[in-house]
Amino acid sequence: MIRAELWQVIEPVYRDIVAHPFLTGLTDGSLPREAFRHYVVQEAHFLPDYARALAACGSRAPGPAAIHRFATDAARTVEVEHSLVVELLQAFGLAEADARKQGPGPTTVGYASYLVRTCSLGTFPEALAAIVPCYWIYARVGERLLASSSPDPLYAWWIETYGGEEYQETVSGVLDLLDSLEPDPALLDVALTTARFEWMYWDAAWRQEGWPCG
């Protein structure tokens, strides 16, 4: 199955992700709040583009079931994940409009642009390969972190969203679609790029990345 080939390619990146101090800090509660705040602010910028990428992926889909899947997931991104971000921003005393004024960082711009471009201009297999690592890595991270959760209630709240059964079932459905594709080495390259952006995204939050000039 193509999922096994794809996971073999992205698993080394996944191992680097779960070992990253941003993720280990979530579970033991040592993550500086400012780093998590940076992450949440960047999510306010990233998630609308992620929803656009999902919708574009659905527009490339070959049949009604896949169209419905990604249209539903695009809506879920806005209704559930984006709503969580708005609530987390409120926990930091920020309105979404104020957070968006802070602007997206370089990694956020690069990652969102890659997803939207690939899903809008690529084939359905290319779009799916670009989208799957985000689904799958978040599911694996959420499941792993949920086992120990976090002493920090804010971090535990985030972990529950991605480690919970509903999100895990969503990812399972997307992986079933992945297995309907013909194996293609080019798709593995696309997936690896997205997986690398996932690591970069958390690392950017850890470093509280800003633009180097201007």
Side-chain angles (χ1 to χ4, degrees):
M1 293 191 296
I2 191 172
R3 80 168 72 181
E5 295 179 29
L6 190 147
W7 185 252
Q8 186 175 11
V9 167
I10 68 174
E11 185 177 19
V13 181
Y14 167 73
R15 290 198 300 266
D16 288 342
I17 286 170
V18 295
H20 195 283
F22 187 96
L23 274 300
T24 58
L26 276 175
T27 50
D28 65 19
S30 66
L31 178 68
R33 280 293 183 95
E34 282 303 302
F36 191 66
R37 179 185 182 278
H38 186 281
Y39 168 84
V40 176
V41 168
Q42 293 306 302
E43 285 285 86
H45 293 282
F46 177 78
L47 285 175
D49 277 339
Y50 181 60
R52 292 183 181 99
L54 291 173
C57 185
S59 75
R60 293 283 189 265
I67 293 170
H68 181 266
R69 158 65 62 189
F70 291 108
T72 300
D73 287 356
R76 183 189 182 279
T77 297
V78 175
E79 294 167 3
V80 178
E81 295 183 75
H82 189 70
S83 295
L84 172 65
V85 165
V86 171
E87 293 182 53
L88 289 171
L89 287 171
Q90 290 172 351
F92 284 107
L94 286 173
E96 183 182 6
D98 294 328
R100 292 183 66 81
K101 287 177 184 177
Q102 296 182 27
T107 298
T108 302
V109 172
Y111 189 11
S113 298
Y114 179 77
L115 285 179
V116 171
R117 186 193 69 185
T118 304
C119 293
S120 298
L121 302 180
T123 64
F124 177 68
E126 289 169 340
L128 188 56
I131 286 293
V132 159
C134 186
Y135 276 104
W136 208 353
I137 288 172
Y138 262 76
R140 287 289 186 100
V141 165
E143 186 177 41
R144 183 186 180 103
L145 269 57
L146 188 63
S148 55
S149 191
S150 176
D152 188 309
L154 201 62
Y155 302 164
W157 184 13
W158 182 92
I159 290 168
E160 174 61 32
T161 299
Y162 295 102
E165 185 176 340
E166 183 179 356
Y167 187 74
Q168 299 295 324
E169 289 176 355
T170 296
V171 174
S172 178
V174 174
L175 293 178
D176 288 342
L177 285 174
L178 180 68
D179 281 334
S180 70
L181 302 182
E182 293 294 327
D184 182 346
L187 302 183
L188 302 182
D189 289 339
V190 171
L192 179 58
T193 297
T194 303
R196 286 167 169 164
F197 267 122
E198 282 291 321
W199 183 92
M200 290 167 62
Y201 194 79
W202 273 308
D203 187 65
W206 174 251
R207 293 183 291 106
Q208 298 176 51
E209 178 190 63
W211 291 94
C213 58

